[in-house]
Amino acid sequence: MPRALLSLLLPLLLAAAPALGQPLGGSSKAPAAPSQCPDNMEAYADSNEVLTCTCPAAQAGQGAVWGSDTYTADSATCRAAVHAGILGRQGGTVTVEMLPGQPRYPGTTRNGVQSQNYGSYGASYRFQGSPQQAQAPAAPAAPTNLGQCPDTMEAFANSAEVVTCGCPAAQLGQGSVWGSDTYTSDSATCRAALHAGILGRQGGQVTLEMLPGQPRYPGMTRNGVQSQNYGSYGSSYRFQGAPQSAQATPAGPAAISQCPDDMTAYADSSETVTCSCPAAQIGQGSVWGTDTYTADSATCRAALHAGILGRQGGQVTLEMLPGAARYPGTTRNGVQSQNYGAYGASYRFQGGPRQAASAGPQLCPDDMTSYADSGEALSCLCPGEATLRGAVWGTDTYTADSATCRAAVHAGMIAQTGGTVALQMLPGAARYPGTTRNGVQSQNYGAYNASYRFTGNPRATKSSAPVQAPVAETLQRTGQVQLYITFRTNSADLDISAAPVLTQLRDALVADPALRLRLIGHTDSTGSAATNLPLSQRRAESVRQWLVAAGIPAERLSSEGRGPNEPIADNGSESGRALNRRVQAARL
């Protein structure tokens, strides 16, 4: 090239050189714009860059997400954009801003995406145009405000923060809850708010405070949500405005608003608990034992079985006890409790009957399965009405689940009218042959793991006066008692021999001023219904008048007669007719 031409071009090249170092777009402050978003933003950690990129539809459904509105840098970028509400499932363009790490990332479910909780993480991002999580102000009393409540409060564990957030209606039906009023931090936040009565099914805003862990979390069913029992857990929360469980003090019982479904949360403690049983809870759950119940027995149903409450519900006080070797089941107050063997924790109600030693025999259990695998000998009382219930397997040696008092009649130990029996528990047998005797048919059965037989000599099974069940105890246990009192023949005049039973009934009414009774007269089928119906009415009225004369207010008593219409035994035998001639006292 000629030197003259080179000297002319050189100044032009030198002038253009600085421009070659500038970006084509001009300013260095504009966001970088790759064509497709990275799977996550980890490559941009420890920067404060702003990135605009595109999410294909296929990428919007892939990967895991941690946090809400502010996400961990390793969260799936496009799936987080759907969670944040920036994109729909069809994808699109987003702008992402990198942020420093946060101490926690609460997870939520929204827009069809479930994000997870996470603790401290070194880098974060959020989408421009999305809701931004408000920073907690310096004053600790002010709540942290979130848009939507986290699925659980685990991200806030080990803090004392107060959090305000919103529960969409769709979130109220999701997740599990442990505790009542105070909940484990991994309980579903919005479902717990429904359980606590803070929200209805339409959802809304709640404020909750984080608490330290508790030694136990009693579960209960309320507001259509069943929470579960749980033992010790490291962190908790409760809703502001919700009832708060009072802490137990040495001077008195722990008071909780509604009784737990069962008492397993209090197992291995000796606490005394006062709580309330709603009427709806009285009919729910299973019960094991009598007077002393397994800790997993339904609390309010056990209170009905124990005679502490009626069907309308109410307040109870119960005390936790160590486990027992056995829990005999009985049927009383319209509730059938089951037998159970050894169990690690128990409870009983204060004010209820206790299985204490007494001068006379206790009422026989419905069957002997709770004494299986023992060699115990037992003496107990079979009232006349108990001989009419249940099935029997075997002859002389009976399966442990055979009805105790009915088997005693089959064995010839007592008449159908009842009596006292003594029995011995035995190992299981290979077979139990059935027979029909003394008006009772027992069934055949093969191998069974526990047995019993009656000790002593069989007694004459001729008819005798029905054995009277203890009046006060039976009223408390079953809500009714059959009174076997005698009248003069074809008359409503009380016989002098009726006085001991009537005195028991009067004493029961005096001991419980709230007790009100309906007295119902019954006859056997001898004679005509036209005679027996008014006779039964007059006999019930005679008992009512005796009680009024003995000082019981008349308004606590009513009387009626039902003649031969409601027999409890076969009128074809003298013992059956004796059981049918009775006055029934039923709790109102």
Side-chain angles (χ1 to χ4, degrees):
M1 178 182 295
R3 185 179 298 270
L5 182 57
L6 182 60
S7 63
L8 291 173
L9 291 175
L10 184 58
L12 295 174
L13 291 171
L14 291 174
L20 294 175
Q22 296 294 329
L24 295 176
S27 172
S28 60
K29 294 182 180 180
S35 58
Q36 180 175 319
C37 293
D39 290 351
N40 60 53
M41 302 303 295
E42 278 286 84
Y44 294 84
D46 303 320
S47 80
N48 59 358
E49 290 193 47
V50 175
L51 177 75
T52 297
C53 56
T54 299
C55 285
Q59 206 170 343
Q62 296 176 356
V65 178
W66 293 271
S68 296
D69 300 328
T70 298
Y71 302 94
T72 61
D74 63 340
S75 292
T77 313
C78 295
R79 191 162 175 78
V82 175
H83 181 271
I86 298 301
L87 294 181
R89 295 282 178 180
Q90 74 283 0
T93 298
V94 296
T95 298
V96 184
E97 175 183 357
M98 297 305 300
L99 301 170
Q102 303 292 321
R104 65 183 59 88
Y105 297 81
T108 59
T109 301
R110 64 187 185 191
N111 302 318
V113 177
Q114 183 178 25
S115 69
Q116 307 297 321
N117 292 308
Y118 203 80
S120 176
Y121 196 79
S124 318
Y125 66 87
R126 67 182 171 204
F127 296 95
Q128 290 189 350
S130 67
Q132 295 183 11
Q133 188 170 318
Q135 298 298 315
T144 299
N145 294 294
L146 307 178
Q148 179 178 317
C149 291
D151 291 354
T152 71
M153 298 305 297
E154 279 286 85
F156 293 85
N158 304 317
S159 80
E161 290 194 49
V162 176
V163 177
T164 296
C165 55
C167 283
Q171 207 169 344
L172 295 175
Q174 297 175 357
S176 298
V177 178
W178 292 271
S180 297
D181 300 330
T182 298
Y183 302 93
T184 62
S185 60
D186 64 340
S187 292
T189 312
C190 295
R191 192 159 177 80
L194 179 60
H195 181 270
I198 297 300
L199 294 180
R201 294 278 175 185
Q202 74 283 359
Q205 183 169 282
V206 298
T207 298
L208 51 87
E209 58 182 305
M210 299 304 300
L211 302 171
Q214 303 292 321
R216 65 183 58 87
Y217 297 82
M220 66 178 67
T221 302
R222 66 183 182 192
N223 300 319
V225 177
Q226 183 178 24
S227 69
Q228 307 297 320
N229 292 308
Y230 203 80
S232 178
Y233 196 79
S235 60
S236 318
Y237 65 87
R238 68 182 171 207
F239 296 94
Q240 291 188 350
Q244 297 181 10
S245 301
Q247 298 298 315
T249 65
I256 54 180
S257 56
Q258 180 179 316
C259 291
D261 290 355
D262 60 56
M263 299 304 297
T264 52
Y266 292 84
D268 304 320
S269 82
S270 57
E271 289 192 49
T272 299
V273 178
T274 296
C275 57
S276 179
C277 284
Q281 207 169 343
I282 293 287
Q284 297 175 357
S286 299
V287 178
W288 293 270
T290 298
D291 299 331
T292 297
Y293 301 94
T294 60
D296 64 339
S297 291
T299 313
C300 295
R301 192 160 176 79
L304 177 61
H305 182 269
I308 300 298
L309 295 181
R311 297 266 174 195
Q312 74 282 1
Q315 183 171 285
V316 298
T317 297
L318 51 86
E319 57 182 304
M320 297 305 300
L321 302 170
R326 64 184 57 85
Y327 298 81
T330 58
T331 301
R332 62 188 191 187
N333 298 320
V335 178
Q336 183 178 22
S337 70
Q338 307 297 320
N339 294 305
Y340 203 80
Y343 194 81
S346 317
Y347 65 87
R348 68 182 170 203
F349 296 94
Q350 291 188 350
R354 297 185 180 181
Q355 294 175 324
S358 64
Q362 302 294 310
L363 290 175
C364 291
D366 289 354
D367 60 55
M368 301 303 299
T369 52
S370 64
Y371 292 84
D373 303 320
S374 80
E376 290 193 45
L378 179 73
S379 179
C380 58
L381 178 68
C382 286
E385 60 199 273
T387 67
L388 306 173
R389 300 193 297 259
V392 178
W393 293 271
T395 299
D396 298 330
T397 298
Y398 300 94
T399 61
D401 63 340
S402 292
T404 311
C405 294
R406 193 156 177 79
V409 175
H410 182 270
M413 305 309 294
I414 56 173
Q416 192 178 37
T417 47
T420 300
V421 298
L423 52 86
Q424 175 72 48
M425 295 305 300
L426 302 170
R431 63 186 59 83
Y432 298 82
T435 58
T436 301
R437 63 186 189 187
N438 301 320
V440 177
Q441 183 179 24
S442 69
Q443 307 296 322
N444 294 308
Y445 202 81
Y448 195 80
N449 63 357
S451 316
Y452 66 88
R453 69 180 173 206
F454 296 95
T455 57
N457 296 320
R459 304 170 189 176
T461 57
K462 65 181 182 181
S463 176
S464 59
V467 173
Q468 177 64 54
V471 174
E473 180 183 357
T474 306
L475 266 174
Q476 187 174 41
R477 288 184 168 185
T478 68
Q480 63 173 4
V481 61
Q482 309 299 337
L483 303 173
Y484 290 106
I485 52 181
T486 52
F487 299 86
R488 295 176 184 173
T489 304
N490 293 324
S491 168
D493 294 336
L494 288 163
D495 192 272
I496 188 63
S497 62
V501 176
L502 291 172
T503 300
Q504 285 190 59
L505 184 61
R506 179 203 64 194
D507 291 347
L509 285 157
V510 169
D512 184 0
L515 178 62
R516 299 170 62 246
L517 294 176
R518 176 182 290 114
L519 303 166
I520 308 166
H522 301 274
T523 68
D524 61 26
S525 60
T526 304
S528 69
T531 299
N532 284 331
L533 191 60
L535 177 61
S536 66
Q537 168 63 52
R538 292 198 305 274
R539 287 180 169 178
E541 178 60 20
S542 291
V543 173
R544 191 189 74 84
Q545 290 179 5
W546 188 96
L547 291 168
V548 171
I552 304 302
E555 61 270 18
R556 295 174 61 189
L557 304 166
S558 67
S559 65
E560 61 182 83
R562 297 181 185 173
N565 298 327
E566 296 180 2
I568 59 173
D570 183 6
N571 275 305
S573 67
E574 177 52 37
S575 60
R577 290 191 293 274
L579 289 169
N580 288 331
R581 294 190 297 270
R582 68 205 192 275
V583 173
Q584 178 186 5
R587 186 199 302 265
L588 288 170

